[in-house]
Amino acid sequence: MPASNEAVRAVVEKYVELVATGSADQIVDLYAEGATVEDPVGSEPLTTREAIHAFYATLEGLEQETRLVDARVVAGEAVFAFEVRTRAGDQTYVLAPFDVMTFDDDARITSMRAYWGDADMTVA
């Protein structure tokens, strides 16, 4: 039986929070063994826990804020829009991806695909 919609939504909310304030370890803990990450869609999918960890480690130490804009959760899957604001010097970069995630029965992420391109990043 798929994880409940409530459990999946809680993981989505935690994921968005951790992208801004968490460590790579904390984010990777949301993923199931054997999970994949494709960020952005069209890039080489990350298929090992080590590669996924290295990907999220690039976020550590950045001055970021995130905000969940909208989410749809159904039958162990989620699609959500969120905003990532990253401050670098005098500039603030805003990225607005749509992520699609699948989950196992324990509400752990089994796949994540991030839909965004250069046009989805702006300078505020």
Side-chain angles (χ1 to χ4, degrees):
M1 175 164 230
S4 72
N5 291 347
E6 295 79 14
V8 168
R9 181 164 180 107
V11 172
V12 166
E13 291 173 357
K14 188 67 170 176
Y15 173 84
V16 170
E17 173 191 331
L18 290 174
V19 165
T21 63
S23 68
D25 288 339
Q26 290 172 305
I27 297 171
V28 170
D29 282 346
L30 300 176
Y31 282 87
E33 289 296 325
T36 61
V37 169
E38 187 179 353
D39 188 348
V41 166
S43 64
E44 187 68 30
L46 306 175
T47 59
T48 67
R49 204 157 184 82
E50 293 79 18
I52 294 169
H53 187 279
F55 173 77
Y56 287 111
T58 64
L59 302 177
E60 291 179 348
L62 295 177
E63 189 178 342
Q64 295 193 121
E65 295 175 6
T66 54
R67 176 177 71 93
L68 182 62
V69 175
D70 202 1
R72 300 290 183 272
V73 177
V74 179
E77 298 189 25
V79 60
F80 58 97
F82 72 113
E83 188 177 87
V84 181
R85 299 177 71 82
T86 306
R87 281 176 293 290
D90 295 342
Q91 304 259 352
T92 298
Y93 299 90
V94 181
L95 178 63
F98 285 82
D99 282 9
V100 175
M101 292 181 170
T102 59
F103 295 81
D104 65 14
D105 294 349
D106 297 319
R108 297 194 60 183
I109 304 164
T110 57
S111 69
M112 187 280 275
R113 300 183 78 211
Y115 290 79
W116 66 274
D118 292 342
D120 303 306
M121 184 176 294
T122 59
V123 178

